[in-house]
Amino acid sequence: MSGIVLDGRRIIAYERLGQLCAYTGKDETYLSALWMELIPDADLMTDFMYYLDHHSFCNKTVCRGYSLTDLYFYKIRRYDVKRDAGKNNADCNKEALVLDTFMMMADMKKDPDKYINKLNDAMGQGMDLY
């Protein structure tokens, strides 16, 4: 018997990530890139597994005071501005925004200053927000 131990939760998480990517129209390259970010980051993986189970963020992962929820709302606000709707409509693919939020957090942990400037600027809206 070999000493190989598999984490069944990670296998399920990968399968569910694949389902989410298919549902949201994300390609195999995106799936692989996000998975490669989740694997070495225990907190981000924990958050992802929590999201899969509860369809909400547990916010274990924090970078310079910003949680996944903060980044998700930033993504939603940016979506609203791009659509010039002022609110997100039924056609807003929130699952895609969730995946993008996990990717953004992974990127932010590598280069926080790049994202902090955007987030501090009225959550990325600029002065036209007021």
Side-chain angles (χ1 to χ4, degrees):
M1 186 87 174
S2 70
I4 296 175
V5 177
L6 295 177
D7 184 349
R9 288 282 299 151
R10 285 187 179 213
I11 294 169
I12 293 168
Y14 182 76
E15 290 171 354
R16 301 262 317 270
L17 175 59
Q19 292 168 354
L20 280 172
C21 285
Y23 174 75
T24 60
K26 305 279 188 191
D27 62 15
E28 188 73 29
T29 303
Y30 186 93
L31 184 153
S32 295
L34 181 53
W35 187 248
M36 294 309 292
E37 296 296 340
L38 292 171
I39 289 289
D41 190 324
D43 289 343
L44 201 57
M45 180 64 83
T46 297
D47 272 324
F48 184 68
M49 289 180 182
Y50 184 91
Y51 179 80
L52 293 175
D53 291 340
H54 303 280
H55 210 70
S56 65
F57 300 114
C58 73
N59 292 318
K60 184 175 177 84
T61 307
V62 176
C63 182
R64 298 253 186 111
Y66 289 97
S67 68
L68 286 164
T69 299
D70 296 319
L71 300 185
Y72 178 74
F73 280 106
Y74 169 81
K75 290 281 189 192
I76 289 282
R77 302 256 321 155
R78 296 302 298 166
Y79 174 86
D80 293 346
V81 167
K82 286 180 183 176
R83 300 278 298 181
D84 197 26
K87 63 179 183 173
N88 54 65
N89 300 319
D91 66 341
C92 177
N93 190 337
K94 291 177 181 70
E95 295 296 336
L97 291 175
V98 166
L99 294 177
D100 291 344
T101 298
F102 278 100
M103 187 67 85
M104 183 178 180
M105 179 59 84
D107 291 341
M108 183 175 174
K109 288 176 83 173
K110 292 178 201 164
D111 186 7
D113 292 333
K114 174 181 170 184
Y115 292 92
I116 296 298
N117 292 334
K118 290 179 184 181
L119 293 166
N120 284 339
D121 182 22
M123 283 303 279
Q125 302 305 309
M127 292 305 293
D128 60 342
L129 178 65
Y130 307 102

